[in-house]
Amino acid sequence: MLKYLQGYPESIQVQAQDLIDNNKLGLYLERKYPEHHQVQSDKALYQLARELKEQYMRNAPPLASARFDAKLSPVKHTLGLHTYQAQVQGSKLKTRNSLTIAALFREGPPQFLSMILAHELAHFQEKDHNKRFYQLCCHIEPAYHQLELDTRLWLTWRDSQK
């Protein structure tokens, strides 16, 4: 039942299970994140991602595209995806960076989308999930770690509603 929280300490998993058992997880999330974002199109997602990149990562390679994809599944631990393609142009090597976000995040709070974008943008400069990578995530989204937990709680809650 708590497949999205498996890497978290037992104390957090117990608290989450208690909220689910008492039908309070949805209420907790609704109170903490009452609004939903207006980013519904690929064009709007690209614009938001580009703005975040320009604000926090000016020296990173440019963003070529950003889109929502219904095929990405959080069950397979894929909330978003960063891809890059190296292309030779004359004597230079150009990198083409693209972001793909799971379509179910069209429904979520804006903070969750911001956290996922921060994660994928951090991959522009750091490919591995290491200390520097998470520092970049927190540079873009200071509440990154709390938002990641709450996103996983939201996914757990969504699954419990089925």
Side-chain angles (χ1 to χ4, degrees):
M1 180 78 173
L2 299 177
K3 61 187 168 204
Y4 302 110
L5 301 172
Q6 288 183 353
Y8 285 87
E10 187 177 337
S11 61
I12 289 177
Q13 292 184 38
V14 168
Q15 288 176 348
Q17 189 62 56
D18 186 50
L19 287 170
I20 292 167
D21 292 344
N22 293 310
N23 292 321
K24 292 183 178 180
L25 183 56
L27 184 60
Y28 162 79
L29 292 166
E30 185 62 35
R31 283 185 181 153
K32 193 166 182 180
Y33 304 102
E35 73 256 5
H36 295 277
H37 63 79
Q38 302 302 311
V39 179
Q40 298 298 308
S41 69
D42 291 348
K43 184 177 179 180
L45 179 64
Y46 173 77
Q47 185 64 32
L48 177 61
R50 203 174 121 254
E51 287 171 5
L52 284 172
K53 187 212 159 294
E54 290 303 315
Q55 183 176 359
Y56 295 103
M57 301 177 69
R58 288 180 186 234
N59 296 332
L63 174 64
S65 67
R67 65 184 180 92
F68 287 107
D69 187 345
K71 293 178 185 172
L72 288 184
S73 171
V75 175
K76 296 176 182 164
H77 306 291
T78 308
L79 307 179
L81 194 60
H82 164 255
T83 57
Y84 62 98
Q85 206 174 18
Q87 296 174 321
V88 178
Q89 283 187 332
S91 63
K92 293 184 179 180
L93 187 65
K94 296 269 186 172
T95 303
R96 193 174 147 82
N97 290 284
S98 300
L99 301 179
T100 307
I101 306 298
L104 69 95
F105 288 102
R106 284 183 169 135
E107 304 169 24
Q111 296 91 335
F112 296 173
L113 184 60
S114 177
M115 182 275 300
I116 294 167
L117 286 172
H119 182 101
E120 300 309 329
L121 286 170
H123 279 304
F124 279 35
Q125 292 185 340
E126 195 62 47
K127 304 301 181 218
D128 297 324
H129 293 125
N130 55 30
K131 185 176 180 177
R132 180 163 156 42
F133 171 82
Y134 286 108
Q135 286 173 339
L136 283 167
C137 289
C138 291
H139 171 69
I140 298 168
E141 177 54 66
Y144 176 82
H145 295 291
Q146 182 64 51
L147 290 171
E148 182 180 14
L149 172 61
D150 289 345
T151 300
R152 291 173 180 279
L153 288 170
W154 181 71
L155 292 168
T156 301
W157 174 76
R158 282 177 49 93
D159 278 3
S160 73
Q161 301 302 298
K162 294 179 184 176

